[in-house]
PDB file of all heavy atoms in Angstrom:
ATOM      1  N   ASN A  10      -2.723  11.977  10.218  1.00  0.00           N
ATOM      2  CA  ASN A  10      -3.636  12.455   9.195  1.00  0.00           C
ATOM      3  C   ASN A  10      -2.948  12.386   7.838  1.00  0.00           C
ATOM      4  O   ASN A  10      -1.744  12.145   7.750  1.00  0.00           O
ATOM      5  CB  ASN A  10      -4.090  13.888   9.486  1.00  0.00           C
ATOM      6  CG  ASN A  10      -5.517  14.141   9.021  1.00  0.00           C
ATOM      7  OD1 ASN A  10      -5.848  13.901   7.871  1.00  0.00           O
ATOM      8  ND2 ASN A  10      -6.355  14.625   9.929  1.00  0.00           N
ATOM      9  N   LYS A  18      -6.976  24.836   3.648  1.00  0.00           N
ATOM     10  CA  LYS A  18      -7.255  26.194   4.104  1.00  0.00           C
ATOM     11  C   LYS A  18      -8.753  26.399   4.305  1.00  0.00           C
ATOM     12  O   LYS A  18      -9.564  25.801   3.607  1.00  0.00           O
ATOM     13  CB  LYS A  18      -6.734  27.224   3.101  1.00  0.00           C
ATOM     14  CG  LYS A  18      -5.219  27.300   3.018  1.00  0.00           C
ATOM     15  CD  LYS A  18      -4.773  28.412   2.074  1.00  0.00           C
ATOM     16  CE  LYS A  18      -3.256  28.518   2.051  1.00  0.00           C
ATOM     17  NZ  LYS A  18      -2.796  29.623   1.150  1.00  0.00           N
ATOM     18  N   ARG A  23      -4.473  28.765   6.751  1.00  0.00           N
ATOM     19  CA  ARG A  23      -4.013  27.375   6.807  1.00  0.00           C
ATOM     20  C   ARG A  23      -4.496  26.688   8.082  1.00  0.00           C
ATOM     21  O   ARG A  23      -4.215  27.140   9.195  1.00  0.00           O
ATOM     22  CB  ARG A  23      -2.476  27.334   6.727  1.00  0.00           C
ATOM     23  CG  ARG A  23      -1.920  25.959   6.408  1.00  0.00           C
ATOM     24  CD  ARG A  23      -0.452  26.021   6.045  1.00  0.00           C
ATOM     25  NE  ARG A  23       0.368  26.422   7.175  1.00  0.00           N
ATOM     26  CZ  ARG A  23       1.701  26.483   7.123  1.00  0.00           C
ATOM     27  NH1 ARG A  23       2.323  26.196   5.991  1.00  0.00           N
ATOM     28  NH2 ARG A  23       2.392  26.870   8.178  1.00  0.00           N
ATOM     29  N   PHE A  25      -3.612  23.851   9.349  1.00  0.00           N
ATOM     30  CA  PHE A  25      -2.567  23.209  10.143  1.00  0.00           C
ATOM     31  C   PHE A  25      -1.987  24.164  11.193  1.00  0.00           C
ATOM     32  O   PHE A  25      -1.597  23.726  12.279  1.00  0.00           O
ATOM     33  CB  PHE A  25      -1.458  22.689   9.229  1.00  0.00           C
ATOM     34  CG  PHE A  25      -0.468  21.795   9.911  1.00  0.00           C
ATOM     35  CD1 PHE A  25      -0.855  20.567  10.427  1.00  0.00           C
ATOM     36  CD2 PHE A  25       0.853  22.176  10.061  1.00  0.00           C
ATOM     37  CE1 PHE A  25       0.054  19.728  11.068  1.00  0.00           C
ATOM     38  CE2 PHE A  25       1.772  21.344  10.696  1.00  0.00           C
ATOM     39  CZ  PHE A  25       1.368  20.128  11.197  1.00  0.00           C
ATOM     40  N   LEU A 161       5.183 -10.571 -24.655  1.00  0.00           N
ATOM     41  CA  LEU A 161       3.773 -10.944 -24.565  1.00  0.00           C
ATOM     42  C   LEU A 161       3.568 -12.384 -25.025  1.00  0.00           C
ATOM     43  O   LEU A 161       2.836 -13.159 -24.395  1.00  0.00           O
ATOM     44  CB  LEU A 161       2.920 -10.000 -25.419  1.00  0.00           C
ATOM     45  CG  LEU A 161       2.653  -8.604 -24.847  1.00  0.00           C
ATOM     46  CD1 LEU A 161       2.090  -7.682 -25.935  1.00  0.00           C
ATOM     47  CD2 LEU A 161       1.694  -8.671 -23.665  1.00  0.00           C
ATOM     48  N   CYS A 188       9.777 -17.741  -3.835  1.00  0.00           N
ATOM     49  CA  CYS A 188      10.139 -17.192  -2.539  1.00  0.00           C
ATOM     50  C   CYS A 188      11.371 -16.294  -2.620  1.00  0.00           C
ATOM     51  O   CYS A 188      12.383 -16.662  -3.190  1.00  0.00           O
ATOM     52  CB  CYS A 188      10.392 -18.327  -1.543  1.00  0.00           C
ATOM     53  SG  CYS A 188      10.655 -17.744   0.134  1.00  0.00           S
ATOM     54  N   TRP A 199       8.447 -10.465  11.846  1.00  0.00           N
ATOM     55  CA  TRP A 199       7.189  -9.755  12.092  1.00  0.00           C
ATOM     56  C   TRP A 199       6.026 -10.432  11.374  1.00  0.00           C
ATOM     57  O   TRP A 199       4.936 -10.567  11.919  1.00  0.00           O
ATOM     58  CB  TRP A 199       7.345  -8.310  11.625  1.00  0.00           C
ATOM     59  CG  TRP A 199       6.120  -7.478  11.719  1.00  0.00           C
ATOM     60  CD1 TRP A 199       5.219  -7.228  10.726  1.00  0.00           C
ATOM     61  CD2 TRP A 199       5.649  -6.782  12.871  1.00  0.00           C
ATOM     62  NE1 TRP A 199       4.211  -6.409  11.173  1.00  0.00           N
ATOM     63  CE2 TRP A 199       4.450  -6.116  12.505  1.00  0.00           C
ATOM     64  CE3 TRP A 199       6.108  -6.644  14.175  1.00  0.00           C
ATOM     65  CZ2 TRP A 199       3.716  -5.341  13.390  1.00  0.00           C
ATOM     66  CZ3 TRP A 199       5.380  -5.871  15.053  1.00  0.00           C
ATOM     67  CH2 TRP A 199       4.208  -5.241  14.666  1.00  0.00           C
ATOM     68  N   GLY A 215     -12.833 -11.817  -9.163  1.00  0.00           N
ATOM     69  CA  GLY A 215     -13.146 -12.072 -10.555  1.00  0.00           C
ATOM     70  C   GLY A 215     -12.845 -10.867 -11.431  1.00  0.00           C
ATOM     71  O   GLY A 215     -13.079  -9.723 -11.023  1.00  0.00           O
ATOM     72  N   PRO A 238       2.317   1.440 -18.028  1.00  0.00           N
ATOM     73  CA  PRO A 238       1.958   2.181 -19.239  1.00  0.00           C
ATOM     74  C   PRO A 238       1.115   3.395 -18.887  1.00  0.00           C
ATOM     75  O   PRO A 238       0.316   3.368 -17.955  1.00  0.00           O
ATOM     76  CB  PRO A 238       1.167   1.160 -20.064  1.00  0.00           C
ATOM     77  CG  PRO A 238       0.646   0.183 -19.063  1.00  0.00           C
ATOM     78  CD  PRO A 238       1.685   0.104 -17.986  1.00  0.00           C
ATOM     79  N   GLY A 248      -8.599  -3.269 -28.584  1.00  0.00           N
ATOM     80  CA  GLY A 248      -8.902  -4.276 -27.570  1.00  0.00           C
ATOM     81  C   GLY A 248      -8.468  -3.877 -26.180  1.00  0.00           C
ATOM     82  O   GLY A 248      -8.926  -4.451 -25.197  1.00  0.00           O
ATOM     83  N   TRP A 256     -11.495   8.924 -22.109  1.00  0.00           N
ATOM     84  CA  TRP A 256     -10.268   8.139 -22.023  1.00  0.00           C
ATOM     85  C   TRP A 256      -9.062   8.900 -22.574  1.00  0.00           C
ATOM     86  O   TRP A 256      -7.965   8.818 -22.040  1.00  0.00           O
ATOM     87  CB  TRP A 256     -10.440   6.825 -22.768  1.00  0.00           C
ATOM     88  CG  TRP A 256      -9.187   6.004 -22.870  1.00  0.00           C
ATOM     89  CD1 TRP A 256      -8.523   5.631 -23.987  1.00  0.00           C
ATOM     90  CD2 TRP A 256      -8.440   5.453 -21.773  1.00  0.00           C
ATOM     91  NE1 TRP A 256      -7.422   4.870 -23.687  1.00  0.00           N
ATOM     92  CE2 TRP A 256      -7.344   4.746 -22.326  1.00  0.00           C
ATOM     93  CE3 TRP A 256      -8.581   5.481 -20.389  1.00  0.00           C
ATOM     94  CZ2 TRP A 256      -6.398   4.094 -21.537  1.00  0.00           C
ATOM     95  CZ3 TRP A 256      -7.648   4.825 -19.608  1.00  0.00           C
ATOM     96  CH2 TRP A 256      -6.567   4.144 -20.185  1.00  0.00           C
ATOM     97  N   PHE A 261      -6.867   9.968 -17.188  1.00  0.00           N
ATOM     98  CA  PHE A 261      -6.796   8.567 -16.749  1.00  0.00           C
ATOM     99  C   PHE A 261      -5.427   7.961 -17.066  1.00  0.00           C
ATOM    100  O   PHE A 261      -5.322   6.790 -17.384  1.00  0.00           O
ATOM    101  CB  PHE A 261      -7.888   7.751 -17.453  1.00  0.00           C
ATOM    102  CG  PHE A 261      -9.283   8.221 -17.159  1.00  0.00           C
ATOM    103  CD1 PHE A 261      -9.924   9.117 -18.011  1.00  0.00           C
ATOM    104  CD2 PHE A 261      -9.946   7.795 -16.027  1.00  0.00           C
ATOM    105  CE1 PHE A 261     -11.214   9.552 -17.751  1.00  0.00           C
ATOM    106  CE2 PHE A 261     -11.233   8.234 -15.751  1.00  0.00           C
ATOM    107  CZ  PHE A 261     -11.872   9.114 -16.611  1.00  0.00           C
ATOM    108  N   GLY A 318     -15.517 -10.464   7.366  1.00  0.00           N
ATOM    109  CA  GLY A 318     -16.436  -9.749   6.510  1.00  0.00           C
ATOM    110  C   GLY A 318     -16.250 -10.161   5.061  1.00  0.00           C
ATOM    111  O   GLY A 318     -15.462 -11.048   4.740  1.00  0.00           O
ATOM    112  N   ARG A 320     -15.188  -9.457   0.966  1.00  0.00           N
ATOM    113  CA  ARG A 320     -13.890  -9.005   0.447  1.00  0.00           C
ATOM    114  C   ARG A 320     -13.795  -7.474   0.426  1.00  0.00           C
ATOM    115  O   ARG A 320     -12.734  -6.916   0.721  1.00  0.00           O
ATOM    116  CB  ARG A 320     -13.634  -9.567  -0.944  1.00  0.00           C
ATOM    117  CG  ARG A 320     -12.251  -9.195  -1.474  1.00  0.00           C
ATOM    118  CD  ARG A 320     -11.791 -10.051  -2.637  1.00  0.00           C
ATOM    119  NE  ARG A 320     -12.801 -10.142  -3.661  1.00  0.00           N
ATOM    120  CZ  ARG A 320     -13.357 -11.305  -4.056  1.00  0.00           C
ATOM    121  NH1 ARG A 320     -12.990 -12.436  -3.474  1.00  0.00           N
ATOM    122  NH2 ARG A 320     -14.262 -11.324  -4.999  1.00  0.00           N
TER     123      ARG A 320
END
Side-chain angles (χ1 to χ4, degrees):
N10 213 306
K18 291 184 177 181
R23 195 168 66 177
F25 191 65
L161 284 166
C188 187
W199 176 264
W256 174 242
F261 299 94
R320 184 163 50 240

